[in-house]
Amino acid sequence: MMLWKNKNTVTGLSTGIHKHDKFNTWFLVTDASTYVVGATAEGYLVNLHWGARLEQLDNLNATLNTDFSSQDPAITMAKEELPIFGGLRYRENALKIELPDGTRELNLLYAGDANVTGNHLDLHLRDGNHTDLLVTLHYEVDAENDIIRRSYTVRNGLKKSINISKALTAAWHPPTTLGRDDKREIVTLSGEWNAETNVETTVLRPGVRHVVESTRGFTAHASFPYFALRSVADEISNGEQDVYFGTLAWSGGWEISAQMNPEGEVRIAGGIQHLDFGWTLEHGESFTTPVFAAGYTNEGMSGARKRLPRHTRKYQKKNVKTQQKDYNPVLYNSWEAVAFNVTAEKQLELVEKAAPLGVELFVIDDGWFGARDNDSAGLGDWYVNKDKFPNGVKPIADRAHALGMKFGIWFEPEGVNPNSDLYRAHPEWAFHYPGIPRYEARNELSLNLGIPEVRDYLYKRLHTIIKENDVDYIKWDMNRPFAEVSMLHDNGRNPREAYVHIVNGYYDLVDRLKKDFPDLWIESCSSGGGRMDMGIVERVDQVWTSDNTRPDGRLFIQYGASLFLPPRVMYGWVTESGNDDNVKIPLSFRFHTSFMGGLGIGSNLNDFKGTDMEETKNWIKLYKELRPVIQDGDLDWLVPPSRLSDLTAVTQATAQDRSEAVVLAFRHRSPFNRPIPKVRLRNLEAKQMYQVRIWLEDATKTEDTYEMSGALLMAQGISLPGLNSGMFRSALVHVKKA
């Protein structure tokens, strides 16, 4: 229950928002943490505490320190909640505005107004010299996951327009470590197409600004809007137990920076990418930044990995109807079977083969529309190709439904081929500059979703296809970065606003389709995992984690993606990828890798032999039995994947009530034929007895079954001798209260 307290003698603060009765100080209390913000006598809003939970309304009064020297002004060193460009501030700033008189700085001060509604806090700031310029900081408390969600709104009350040139969402100030010389490292995610979300660690150094970002107009593959800050263990400190972590809810260009001063104080700032960003506010207009969510845990990276996916899942479940009752389905995608050579006859054959396996969703991928025989034509012409589908795609949908499966189809709404009817009719709908050659990628240009007519066309075509063909699911793809971003259709607006309109137009289309088709499932894809940020996950059902379906590569990708994605959202497919003339990866290894979240089948079923079909059917059946734990449990890594030695990795998905767990263990090779050490489990009930079942390569046969106490499972662990020899060995373990 959220409370507004007026007494500072409260014993045992409840979770929620509390105000000190003497000071302009607010305590945002979660189950295991407290975030405190206060206004100084001058009006500066600063962070006073972020970390372990406080149990009292301590007398934390915000003050501004004296200048350390003339070269180190106090306001530069202050932990401002929204550091602005202006005055004697020389650290990372979050907001920069040009005023009507040409002034390019602000002096935002607490205006004396605060509003608390439930778990929301709004604090109002006004420019000290232009009081009609109002900035409202928004805070939302997710108590159960120890996370604070932040954003702010700029309102222009001035008579003339103002120009925003930078609008990062927030600055976060984790406290210094106990020892001044303690090392702190930031955990981030790097990558590229086919190699997303590789975990990187960088030791922060004074005077060095560490930046991760996307300048491509969307979330992208090269990096990801995520951070975690932890201490590096040494012979004295406990190392990484205290971890601060966060992510942006934004599907456009973004940036997150971290900078440490010589005293070990760190500022982490992030939000919309400021390169080529701009927004003009006329009198009475407002602009709101996307959410930047961040949290604290004293349980190390495992605690961070548990809290952020839970938080994302909480808001996804709140917003998306299809996520409120069902588990995510086992899907079959026909791309690898037919590629662009897709026809009604071939799809019906695959439908008949997929259904007996236990597949719950059948998906037609690229190639069903327009003159789409390859990727150089037809994109944008969202009409069924009558040569490939003389009677449309509805007969395939009808047959899938008759066999108990849902039916899905692929779209790439934001792209257009120059060789398409749409482009020939409306070349002005694609981003471009007059007189400059248009830059193609994958033979595509990008449509400007800031143009209302573009969104209307796309919405009508998608709506028609979905309705006329009883489509249950769409895979929404996007296969190129943005370029030539402009607003030629609206010369009265700031052209740098286009980057935000790209994202808002995308959100608008997704939201409209979800509203009109509440039971429609949507998967976010962008050449794999290029768009799987919290902003879109809170609107759709699942994401395509990577085009790379090699199971050994997927271990690294899923290790990083599981830092922020709920398991059910993170889809993995079983395909033929990874096989070559010398090595065949067992089907069991490929299934086990895909058992970490949503399960898909992408193999060419036409090449499957009878034994392959039977084995696939058995693994799908077992997956469905374990799906409640796999999809809704907390995914942790007992052994992270390593690029060295035998590539051993072990995961554990644990039910939130600790009643059962699913363990997946992998060993790429065993060059010395040495036994794998026992695997010690986590997060079980020590006093409880558990039944342990172990499968290796046969889903119908357990290699071992026994009972063991939770205490012994966590202290001593389980033996997996089946992984001691050979290549691509894996095991599936189910642990359940006896």
Side-chain angles (χ1 to χ4, degrees), residues 401-601:
H401 291 151
L403 293 173
M405 296 186 292
K406 296 179 184 295
F407 174 72
I409 203 164
W410 178 96
F411 287 96
E412 189 180 349
E414 293 143 289
V416 62
N417 289 132
N419 184 11
S420 67
D421 292 339
L422 176 64
Y423 185 77
R424 283 184 282 270
H426 293 287
E428 75 280 6
W429 283 4
F431 280 121
H432 70 283
Y433 289 111
I436 296 178
R438 303 187 179 192
Y439 301 102
E440 295 182 25
R442 198 176 180 254
N443 304 305
E444 297 177 23
L445 298 170
S446 298
L447 293 173
N448 184 352
L449 296 190
I451 301 175
E453 292 81 6
V454 175
R455 296 198 303 274
D456 290 344
Y457 164 79
L458 292 172
Y459 178 75
K460 289 175 182 177
R461 292 312 311 146
L462 269 65
H463 188 282
T464 298
I465 294 292
I466 293 167
K467 185 175 182 179
E468 290 183 351
N469 298 283
D470 293 333
V471 173
D472 305 296
Y473 156 105
I474 62 173
K475 180 173 182 175
W476 188 307
D477 208 344
M478 199 271 285
N479 284 304
R480 61 153 295 168
F482 291 94
E484 306 164 277
V485 176
S486 55
M487 288 186 64
L488 301 178
H489 66 287
D490 190 353
N491 290 323
R493 294 296 304 184
N494 186 336
R496 292 175 175 81
E497 296 175 6
Y499 286 98
V500 174
H501 289 301
I502 289 172
V503 184
N504 288 339
Y506 169 50
Y507 289 163
D508 174 67
L509 285 171
V510 170
D511 293 345
R512 288 167 69 182
L513 289 174
K514 275 290 191 179
K515 180 179 179 181
D516 285 358
F517 301 99
D519 296 320
L520 177 71
W521 291 66
I522 299 179
E523 176 179 299
S524 174
C525 171
S526 177
S527 303
R531 194 155 60 181
M532 52 184 180
D533 56 274
M534 190 168 71
I536 192 57
V537 171
E538 291 182 357
R539 288 175 159 85
V540 300
D541 299 274
Q542 59 203 57
V543 301
W544 181 221
T545 322
S546 178
D547 283 348
N548 187 346
T549 58
R550 273 193 64 121
D552 46 355
R554 266 304 185 108
L555 291 176
F556 294 102
I557 293 167
Q558 290 168 187
Y559 174 57
S562 61
L563 283 166
F564 57 90
L565 285 180
R568 64 161 51 212
V569 170
M570 182 177 66
Y571 261 71
W573 289 3
V574 176
T575 72
E576 302 306 309
S577 178
N579 288 343
D580 57 34
D581 294 337
N582 300 312
V583 177
K584 180 175 175 59
I585 300 177
L587 197 55
S588 55
F589 193 99
R590 287 179 269 157
F591 264 101
H592 293 163
T593 305
S594 298
F595 268 31
M596 291 184 198
L599 174 62
I601 313 297

Side-chain angles (χ1 to χ4, degrees), residues 183-254:
K183 293 182 179 179
R184 306 187 85 173
E185 64 182 16
I186 188 165
V187 180
T188 55
L189 299 169
S190 69
E192 57 188 0
W193 173 79
N194 230 34
E196 296 88 339
T197 59
N198 282 265
V199 176
E200 309 289 349
T201 57
T202 304
V203 175
L204 294 181
R205 302 289 187 188
V208 179
R209 181 169 170 262
H210 187 82
V211 181
V212 289
E213 63 182 353
S214 168
T215 60
R216 305 180 187 216
F218 71 112
T219 324
H221 307 72
S223 191
F224 191 83
Y226 169 88
F227 80 89
L229 183 71
R230 62 185 182 185
S231 298
V232 180
D234 57 26
E235 64 273 15
I236 299 175
S237 69
N238 292 324
E240 63 164 276
Q241 293 309 304
D242 282 354
V243 175
Y244 296 83
F245 57 92
T247 190
L248 286 164
W250 184 241
S251 304
W254 59 271

Side-chain angles (χ1 to χ4, degrees), residues 94-164:
L95 178 63
K96 184 178 181 181
I97 292 178
E98 182 175 350
L99 299 170
D101 61 2
T103 301
R104 298 191 311 279
E105 66 171 47
L106 299 175
N107 186 32
L108 293 179
L109 304 173
Y110 175 58
D113 299 322
N115 301 105
V116 175
T117 305
N119 60 341
H120 294 262
L121 168 66
D122 288 342
L123 297 175
H124 303 291
L125 309 178
R126 293 189 183 276
D127 183 74
N129 302 310
H130 301 81
T131 56
D132 288 332
L133 178 63
L134 176 67
V135 177
T136 301
L137 306 190
H138 309 296
Y139 299 81
E140 182 179 357
V141 178
D142 178 7
E144 62 195 270
N145 295 307
D146 303 312
I147 285 176
I148 307 297
R149 293 168 67 96
R150 292 178 58 187
S151 62
Y152 62 83
T153 300
V154 180
R155 295 179 177 85
N156 181 18
L158 305 177
K159 295 180 179 180
K160 295 183 179 180
S161 64
I162 62 172
N163 292 307
I164 305 173

Side-chain angles (χ1 to χ4, degrees), residues 615-678:
E615 185 177 352
T616 295
K617 178 181 178 180
N618 292 334
W619 283 120
I620 290 175
K621 180 180 178 181
L622 184 56
Y623 173 83
K624 290 179 180 178
E625 177 188 336
L626 305 178
R627 178 162 50 184
V629 182
I630 292 172
Q631 290 198 3
D632 286 344
D634 296 318
L635 179 60
D636 199 1
W637 290 74
L638 307 181
V639 181
S642 169
R643 293 180 175 87
L644 304 176
S645 186
D646 57 355
L647 181 56
T648 301
V650 186
T651 66
Q652 178 181 331
T654 310
Q656 294 190 18
D657 64 1
R658 303 191 179 193
S659 62
E660 57 183 318
V662 173
V663 176
L664 297 163
F666 305 90
R667 196 173 194 180
H668 180 272
R669 60 186 179 273
S670 180
F672 303 108
N673 288 322
R674 291 177 177 172
I676 187 172
K678 288 185 177 182

